Amino acid sequence: MSNEPLVLGIETSCDETGVGIVRGRTLLADEVASSIDEHARFGGVVPEIASRAHLEAIVPTIERACRVAKVQLSDVDAIAVTGGPGLVGALLVGTASAKALAFALGVPLFAVNHLAGHIVVDELEHGPLPDSVIGLLVSGGHSSLIKLTGSDFHALGATLDDAAGEAFDKVARLLGLPFPGGPWIDQLAQSGDGAAIAFPRGLTSPHEGEANRLNFSFSGLKTAVARWVKQQEQAGNTVSIPDVAASFQEAVVDVLTQKAFNACQDTGIDHLVIGGGVAANSRLRALALERALRLGISVRIPRPGLCTDNGAMIAALGSRLLMGGAAPSDLAFSTTSVLPIETVVLNELG
Ligand code: KG4
Ligand code: ZN
């Protein structure tokens, strides 16, 4: 039997009930129950519906993960759970379950930062992260550039308005596509021309200042797409949805990759890891690899199933913390809807 710890991770920050089990950095199970179908007709995640769905799914998902990993709960060495950021009612279902499990099993509990999980999950696929690495985190709620040195996470830049995934979802809605729109735009863009329409690249022009070199802005892009579609319709022109999707997507991934490599250049770190739901985007993956090759930077991106929310990323982060000797959380910790990346594990008393 390996000496590496067996860690069970629970993720309930949004609409996915995720339970992952890892041994060290080896993934044994990654079970996800999504309530996305229940939210689709509202065009976004409804917090109350998400909380109720987590309550129904949490125990069966834990049981399924144990079955898939072929382990008993009594084998588990530590529990990890998303402590924030996220929807408070949704987080509470996961954290209450995790506290009960940790208490009953007598094992340490790590209440961890969801955003850090999106970066660290790559260790399950590509092995230990380098000592210094730039993280590009692109999800439905966040777009940030992060510097990870040893066990310290440090924010280098973030979006000033919409997150990248939010922009995908809003533009998809405008084009009459279902929620969440990211995967639909990705798919439609494959038959469109990314150079058809020159949409703006937010915060990339010199007059927008060096201060925003590592920050993002996507709300102007969303407005530009809306205005362009309206103008074409008013002029009686047929709008090619694949061309709009591809051109919008190109604008987003152009900015994301430019700024991620700016961060590498500014810090002298030549390793980049990309995580979060938008990292599942096929064009972002291709362009990042292409530009990295030219710049001599190594890029790691987990497979798409590990980019969108899951329990494995939380188990991976818990396992990394445990193996690195980090102090676990006190059972009295509080969940929090807002959590800066610098706080990787919650251990203050609630
Ligand atoms: O990380 P995630 O699963 O949840 C949050 O923590 O927010 O990210 C969800 C976001 C959604 O906005 C969704 O549209 C986007 O990730 N997304 C994509 C793709 N797959 C998911 N965006 C672009 N292309 C995709 N293939
Ligand atoms: Zn996420």
Side-chain angles (χ1 to χ4, degrees):
M1 184 58 85
S2 141
N3 290 330
E4 295 186 311
L6 187 70
V7 180
L8 181 141
I10 298 176
E11 152 59 33
T12 64
S13 68
C14 193
D15 57 326
E16 257 102 32
T17 314
V19 179
I21 300 179
V22 301
R23 182 172 297 282
R25 290 191 183 85
T26 307
L27 180 60
L28 302 181
D30 180 21
E31 293 299 308
V32 177
S34 176
S35 60
I36 199 72
D37 294 346
E38 296 173 56
H39 305 283
R41 70 191 169 101
F42 300 103
V45 173
V46 183
E48 285 306 315
I49 295 179
S51 308
R52 206 173 327 121
H54 285 308
L55 266 177
E56 285 166 9
I58 189 78
V59 173
T61 311
I62 292 172
E63 287 172 347
R64 221 168 50 238
C66 287
R67 264 200 312 278
V68 170
K70 298 190 174 60
V71 299
Q72 309 283 326
L73 276 177
S74 54
D75 301 332
V76 167
D77 296 308
I79 304 286
V81 63
T82 303
L87 304 168
V88 168
L91 287 166
L92 274 172
V93 178
T95 53
S97 311
K99 287 180 185 187
L101 274 176
F103 182 70
L105 298 170
V107 296
L109 171 64
F110 292 88
V112 302
N113 191 316
H114 177 89
L115 309 177
H118 270 307
I119 299 297
V120 165
V121 68
D122 191 61
E123 295 200 322
L124 299 180
E125 202 170 356
H126 299 119
L129 284 166
D131 241 13
S132 293
V133 64
I134 297 297
L136 169 64
L137 167 73
V138 275
S139 71
H142 297 84
S143 300
S144 343
L145 279 164
I146 295 157
K147 183 170 76 164
L148 169 58
T149 343
S151 53
D152 290 335
F153 286 78
H154 174 71
L156 297 172
T159 183
L160 305 182
D161 40 58
D162 293 349
E166 195 178 350
F168 269 96
D169 296 338
K170 286 179 175 169
V171 166
R173 189 185 185 139
L174 184 107
L175 298 177
L177 303 170
F179 175 84
W184 290 91
I185 293 202
D186 191 350
Q187 201 189 343
L188 271 170
Q190 320 235 331
S191 54
D193 175 6
I197 311 148
F199 286 130
R201 271 64 170 159
L203 302 184
T204 54
S205 69
H207 78 265
E208 282 160 325
E210 275 299 293
N212 284 315
R213 185 172 153 83
L214 303 181
N215 287 330
F216 303 101
S217 168
F218 295 111
S219 78
L221 170 60
K222 170 196 65 192
T223 309
V225 176
R227 200 180 305 122
W228 189 90
V229 170
K230 198 166 168 201
Q231 277 167 355
Q232 296 302 309
E233 285 171 351
Q234 281 172 348
N237 299 334
T238 318
V239 171
S240 159
I241 302 287
D243 280 354
V244 177
S247 300
F248 157 75
Q249 176 177 274
E250 198 61 28
V252 175
V253 306
D254 183 16
V255 172
L256 291 176
T257 49
Q258 261 187 49
K259 291 188 177 247
F261 294 124
N262 282 349
C264 291
Q265 198 178 50
D266 293 1
T267 56
I269 297 174
D270 53 8
H271 300 285
L272 174 68
V273 55
I274 311 183
V278 180
N281 183 270
S282 59
R283 181 62 187 144
L284 173 60
R285 301 171 79 91
L287 188 64
L289 293 173
E290 184 189 310
R291 288 187 170 167
L293 199 66
R294 250 184 284 143
L295 295 166
I297 290 171
S298 81
V299 175
R300 304 166 40 141
I301 317 173
R303 64 181 138 80
L306 291 178
C307 291
T308 45
D309 288 350
N310 62 78
M313 64 192 232
I314 302 306
L317 180 52
S319 182
R320 180 181 159 104
L321 288 164
L322 184 65
M323 292 191 290
S329 306
D330 188 285
L331 281 188
F333 77 85
S334 300
T335 58
T336 167
S337 61
V338 181
L339 187 61
I341 187 70
E342 281 78 7
T343 306
V344 181
V345 56
L346 295 174
N347 31 37
E348 62 268 36
L349 289 173

